Amino acid sequence: MATIPDLTLEQGMPANIDAEKTILGAILLDNAAHSEAAEKLDSETLLSTRIGGFFLRMTELMNEQRAVDIVTLAHELARYKEVESVGGVRLSRVPHETCPAGR
């Protein structure tokens, strides 16, 4: 009889920057996607520190029951002086670059 391989992740979750970007894009398109993502991720488990910075601010906005959209997110990143650390002027292109539906 064949044995089922153990698929548990010994070193944490797999890292894939494109997948992480897609998660951010999904949250921007539908804020309800954040709750499912937050069950498995936090800003420190994400591979890219840039993506982690976005996710942290998105999480804070959600916890404050505020909308997560590009304008509000940009404002929060500017308020914390994090615009450059997450990509600077490219911020305005986040929805288009982070979600396949936006391409």
Side-chain angles (χ1 to χ4, degrees), residues 12-66:
M13 296 191 61
N16 181 312
I17 290 180
D18 288 334
E20 292 177 1
K21 288 178 181 179
T22 300
I23 291 167
L24 292 184
I27 294 168
L28 287 170
L29 292 172
D30 181 0
N31 289 180
H34 180 271
S35 62
E36 187 174 345
E39 289 177 12
K40 297 182 174 51
L41 303 172
D42 63 41
S43 61
E44 294 179 13
T45 60
L46 295 166
L47 178 64
S48 167
T49 56
R50 287 179 49 198
I51 294 170
F54 279 111
F55 192 76
L56 174 65
R57 296 299 163 220
M58 288 176 161
T59 299
E60 290 175 350
L61 289 167
M62 293 298 295
N63 289 343
E64 295 169 4
Q65 298 181 350
R66 295 172 59 196

Side-chain angles (χ1 to χ4, degrees), residues 10 25 46-47 73 82 90 96:
E10 295 176 10
L46 295 166
L47 178 64
L73 184 58
E82 297 173 336
R90 293 176 50 125
H96 305 291

